[in-house]
Amino acid sequence: MKQKINQVRVLLDALPYIKRYANQIFVIKYGGSAQITPELKEKFARDIVLMYLVGIKPVIIHGGGRAIGDMLERLKIGSHFIDGLRVTDEKVMEVVEMVLSGSINKEITALLNEYGAKAIGISGKDASMLEAKPIDMQKYGYVGELTKVDPQVINNLIAEKFIPVIAPVASSNQNGHPGFNINADIAAGHIAASLKARKIIFMTDTPGVMNNKKEIIHTLNEEQIKTLKANGVIDGGMIPKVDACLDAVNGGVMKAHIIDGRIEHALLLEIFTSEGVGTVIKS
């Protein structure tokens, strides 16, 4: 009986958040171990379905770097990185699109549908939702910088009660162009801003943004982020995440969160408890 009472208390504690976030759009950047580990994949799917059933409108943007690397190796196509970006020639771009828009996107969609959601997988190329230009064609190849985000397709899907699952590849405005590989964090930030989402949540393999003593920083703003970058505290793969958070909050999103996707039910802990489990970035 005590266990049942505790379960009811947990539900009651979550009730204010369920009421507050009903009918709100939440953008989730899905990556890291949560996207690779079978057990965490299932927990992620169940968390998203619970959010969906209590009235939140999730929009998922996923990465797929490890799977792309594995496929390139299997096909014996050479690949290398400069400044943390995968140099993407035409052959690599074919594989990027095949993995992101194909296997990964459909796996996530199928898993969500299996747990009772109505999910649909799309690519940034669909209806020219994402358009981009090259960051530096000679240096990086078909790695793009977003020039346009059209949220109409996403809004239409949300209105029909679908969960959009988006692969971060973009169109070019040139005919016959293979398109662009877009950093999934940056794509998520721009998409969240275009939707005026209530929150954007980045699932990572770190507890959040850490200080120089390796302690989690629970809240940050733009000025603090600039200082931490200048001091080298925020570096490497955390830079595009905090930049994407700033793109989102400066574009009208209320809060951006960076959480540890290796924690079971990290999404629910961040959304439905007062303590949360990661770093919150506010405007």
Side-chain angles (χ1 to χ4, degrees), residues 27-29 61 130 146 149 182-197 199-202 240-253 256:
V27 171
I28 295 115
K29 170 11 183 59
I61 294 93
L130 302 180
L146 287 174
V149 180
I182 306 294
N183 177 284
D185 294 325
I186 299 299
H190 282 273
I191 289 168
S194 76
L195 294 168
K196 296 293 183 278
K199 289 179 182 286
I200 182 169
I201 302 170
F202 293 83
K241 287 180 174 55
V242 295
D243 286 349
C245 288
L246 292 174
D247 285 340
V249 296
N250 290 335
V253 177

Coordinates of all heavy atoms in Angstrom, one line a residue, residues 27-29 61 130 146 149 182-197 199-202 240-253 256:
V27 N 10.7 20.9 -28.3 CA 11.7 20.4 -29.3 C 12.7 19.6 -28.5 O 13.3 20.1 -27.5 CB 12.3 21.5 -30.1 CG1 13.4 21.0 -31.0 CG2 11.2 22.2 -31.0
I28 N 13.0 18.4 -28.9 CA 13.9 17.5 -28.3 C 15.0 17.1 -29.3 O 14.7 16.5 -30.3 CB 13.3 16.2 -27.7 CG1 12.3 16.6 -26.6 CG2 14.3 15.3 -27.1 CD1 10.9 16.3 -26.8
K29 N 16.3 17.5 -29.0 CA 17.4 17.0 -29.8 C 17.8 15.6 -29.2 O 18.3 15.6 -28.1 CB 18.5 18.0 -29.8 CG 19.9 17.7 -30.4 CD 20.0 16.4 -31.2 CE 21.4 16.1 -31.7 NZ 22.5 15.9 -30.8
I61 N 14.4 16.1 -33.2 CA 15.4 16.2 -34.2 C 16.6 15.3 -33.8 O 17.0 15.3 -32.6 CB 16.0 17.7 -34.4 CG1 14.9 18.6 -34.9 CG2 17.2 17.7 -35.3 CD1 14.1 19.3 -33.9
L130 N 14.0 23.0 -44.6 CA 15.3 23.5 -44.3 C 16.1 23.8 -45.6 O 16.1 23.0 -46.5 CB 16.1 22.6 -43.4 CG 15.6 22.1 -42.1 CD1 16.5 21.2 -41.4 CD2 15.2 23.3 -41.2
L146 N 22.3 27.0 -42.1 CA 20.9 27.2 -42.4 C 20.7 28.6 -42.9 O 21.2 29.6 -42.3 CB 20.0 26.8 -41.3 CG 19.9 25.3 -41.0 CD1 19.1 25.1 -39.7 CD2 19.2 24.6 -42.1
V149 N 14.3 28.4 -42.4 CA 13.5 27.3 -41.8 C 12.0 27.6 -42.0 O 11.6 28.7 -41.5 CB 13.8 27.2 -40.3 CG1 13.0 26.1 -39.6 CG2 15.3 27.0 -40.0
I182 N 23.6 19.0 -42.0 CA 23.5 20.1 -41.0 C 23.8 19.5 -39.6 O 23.3 18.5 -39.3 CB 22.1 20.7 -41.0 CG1 21.7 21.2 -42.4 CG2 22.0 21.9 -40.0 CD1 22.5 22.3 -43.0
N183 N 24.6 20.3 -38.8 CA 24.8 19.9 -37.4 C 23.4 19.8 -36.7 O 22.6 20.8 -36.8 CB 25.6 20.9 -36.7 CG 25.8 20.6 -35.3 OD1 25.0 20.9 -34.4 ND2 27.0 20.2 -34.9
A184 N 23.1 18.6 -36.1 CA 21.8 18.4 -35.6 C 21.4 19.4 -34.4 O 20.3 19.8 -34.2 CB 21.6 17.0 -35.1
D185 N 22.4 19.7 -33.6 CA 22.2 20.7 -32.5 C 21.7 22.0 -33.1 O 20.8 22.6 -32.6 CB 23.5 20.9 -31.7 CG 23.9 19.6 -30.9 OD1 23.0 18.9 -30.5 OD2 25.1 19.4 -30.8
I186 N 22.5 22.5 -34.1 CA 22.2 23.8 -34.7 C 20.8 23.8 -35.3 O 20.0 24.7 -35.2 CB 23.3 24.2 -35.7 CG1 24.6 24.4 -35.0 CG2 22.9 25.5 -36.4 CD1 24.7 25.4 -33.9
A187 N 20.5 22.7 -36.1 CA 19.2 22.5 -36.7 C 18.1 22.6 -35.7 O 17.0 23.3 -35.8 CB 19.1 21.2 -37.5
A188 N 18.3 21.9 -34.5 CA 17.3 21.9 -33.5 C 17.0 23.3 -32.9 O 15.8 23.6 -32.7 CB 17.7 20.9 -32.4
G189 N 18.1 24.0 -32.7 CA 17.9 25.4 -32.2 C 17.1 26.3 -33.1 O 16.2 27.0 -32.7
H190 N 17.4 26.2 -34.4 CA 16.7 27.0 -35.4 C 15.2 26.6 -35.5 O 14.3 27.4 -35.7 CB 17.4 27.0 -36.8 CG 18.6 27.8 -36.8 ND1 18.6 29.1 -37.2 CD2 19.9 27.6 -36.6 CE1 19.8 29.7 -37.2 NE2 20.6 28.7 -36.8
I191 N 15.0 25.3 -35.5 CA 13.6 24.8 -35.6 C 12.8 25.2 -34.4 O 11.6 25.6 -34.6 CB 13.6 23.2 -35.8 CG1 14.2 22.9 -37.2 CG2 12.2 22.6 -35.6 CD1 14.5 21.4 -37.4
A192 N 13.4 25.1 -33.2 CA 12.7 25.5 -32.0 C 12.3 26.9 -32.1 O 11.2 27.3 -31.7 CB 13.5 25.2 -30.8
A193 N 13.2 27.8 -32.5 CA 12.9 29.2 -32.7 C 11.8 29.5 -33.7 O 10.9 30.3 -33.4 CB 14.2 30.0 -33.0
S194 N 11.8 28.8 -34.8 CA 10.8 29.0 -35.8 C 9.4 28.6 -35.3 O 8.4 29.1 -35.8 CB 11.2 28.2 -37.1 OG 10.9 26.8 -36.9
L195 N 9.4 27.6 -34.4 CA 8.1 27.1 -33.9 C 7.6 27.9 -32.7 O 6.5 27.7 -32.2 CB 8.2 25.6 -33.5 CG 8.4 24.6 -34.6 CD1 8.8 23.3 -34.1 CD2 7.2 24.5 -35.5
K196 N 8.5 28.8 -32.1 CA 8.3 29.5 -30.9 C 7.9 28.4 -29.8 O 7.0 28.6 -29.0 CB 7.2 30.5 -31.0 CG 7.5 31.6 -32.0 CD 8.6 32.5 -31.4 CE 8.9 33.7 -32.3 NZ 9.8 33.4 -33.5
A197 N 8.8 27.4 -29.7 CA 8.5 26.3 -28.8 C 8.7 26.8 -27.3 O 9.3 27.8 -27.1 CB 9.6 25.2 -29.0
K199 N 10.0 24.9 -24.9 CA 11.3 24.5 -24.4 C 12.0 23.8 -25.6 O 11.4 23.2 -26.5 CB 11.2 23.5 -23.3 CG 10.7 24.0 -21.9 CD 10.6 22.9 -20.9 CE 10.1 23.4 -19.6 NZ 11.1 24.1 -18.8
I200 N 13.3 23.8 -25.5 CA 14.2 22.9 -26.3 C 15.0 22.1 -25.3 O 15.6 22.7 -24.4 CB 15.0 23.6 -27.3 CG1 15.8 22.6 -28.2 CG2 15.9 24.7 -26.7 CD1 16.4 23.2 -29.4
I201 N 15.2 20.8 -25.5 CA 15.9 19.9 -24.6 C 17.0 19.2 -25.5 O 16.6 18.5 -26.4 CB 15.0 19.0 -23.9 CG1 14.0 19.8 -23.1 CG2 15.8 18.1 -23.0 CD1 12.8 18.9 -22.5
F202 N 18.2 19.3 -25.1 CA 19.3 18.5 -25.7 C 19.7 17.3 -24.9 O 20.1 17.5 -23.7 CB 20.5 19.4 -25.9 CG 20.3 20.5 -26.9 CD1 19.7 21.7 -26.5 CD2 20.6 20.4 -28.3 CE1 19.4 22.8 -27.4 CE2 20.4 21.4 -29.2 CZ 19.8 22.6 -28.7
P240 N 28.6 23.8 -30.0 CA 27.4 23.9 -30.8 C 26.1 23.7 -30.0 O 25.1 24.3 -30.4 CB 27.6 22.8 -31.8 CG 28.7 21.9 -31.3 CD 29.5 22.8 -30.4
K241 N 26.2 23.0 -28.9 CA 25.0 22.8 -28.1 C 24.6 24.1 -27.4 O 23.4 24.5 -27.4 CB 25.2 21.7 -27.0 CG 25.2 20.3 -27.6 CD 25.4 19.2 -26.6 CE 25.2 17.9 -27.3 NZ 26.1 17.6 -28.5
V242 N 25.5 24.8 -26.8 CA 25.2 26.1 -26.1 C 24.8 27.2 -27.2 O 23.9 28.0 -26.9 CB 26.3 26.6 -25.1 CG1 26.4 25.7 -24.0 CG2 27.6 26.9 -25.8
D243 N 25.5 27.1 -28.3 CA 25.1 28.1 -29.4 C 23.7 27.8 -29.9 O 23.0 28.8 -30.1 CB 26.1 27.9 -30.6 CG 27.5 28.5 -30.3 OD1 27.6 29.2 -29.3 OD2 28.4 28.3 -31.1
A244 N 23.4 26.5 -30.0 CA 22.0 26.2 -30.4 C 21.0 26.6 -29.4 O 19.9 27.1 -29.7 CB 21.9 24.7 -30.7
C245 N 21.3 26.5 -28.1 CA 20.5 27.0 -27.0 C 20.2 28.5 -27.1 O 19.1 28.9 -27.0 CB 21.1 26.6 -25.6 SG 21.1 24.9 -25.2
L246 N 21.3 29.2 -27.4 CA 21.2 30.7 -27.5 C 20.4 31.0 -28.8 O 19.6 32.0 -28.7 CB 22.6 31.3 -27.6 CG 23.4 31.2 -26.3 CD1 24.8 31.8 -26.5 CD2 22.7 32.0 -25.1
D247 N 20.6 30.3 -29.9 CA 19.7 30.6 -31.1 C 18.3 30.4 -30.7 O 17.4 31.2 -31.1 CB 20.1 29.5 -32.2 CG 21.4 29.8 -32.9 OD1 21.9 31.0 -32.8 OD2 21.9 28.9 -33.5
A248 N 18.0 29.4 -29.9 CA 16.6 29.1 -29.6 C 16.0 30.2 -28.7 O 15.0 30.8 -28.9 CB 16.5 27.7 -28.9
V249 N 16.7 30.5 -27.5 CA 16.1 31.4 -26.6 C 16.1 32.9 -27.2 O 15.2 33.6 -26.9 CB 16.8 31.4 -25.2 CG1 16.6 30.0 -24.5 CG2 18.3 31.7 -25.3
N250 N 17.1 33.2 -28.0 CA 17.1 34.5 -28.6 C 16.0 34.6 -29.7 O 15.6 35.7 -30.1 CB 18.4 34.9 -29.2 CG 19.5 35.1 -28.1 OD1 19.2 35.5 -27.0 ND2 20.8 34.9 -28.5
G251 N 15.5 33.4 -30.1 CA 14.5 33.4 -31.2 C 13.1 33.2 -30.6 O 12.1 33.1 -31.3
G252 N 13.0 33.3 -29.2 CA 11.7 33.3 -28.6 C 11.3 32.0 -27.8 O 10.2 32.0 -27.2
V253 N 12.2 31.0 -27.7 CA 12.0 29.9 -26.9 C 12.2 30.3 -25.4 O 13.2 31.0 -25.1 CB 12.9 28.7 -27.3 CG1 12.7 27.5 -26.4 CG2 12.6 28.3 -28.7
A256 N 16.0 26.7 -22.6 CA 16.8 25.6 -23.3 C 17.4 24.8 -22.2 O 17.9 25.3 -21.2 CB 17.8 26.1 -24.2

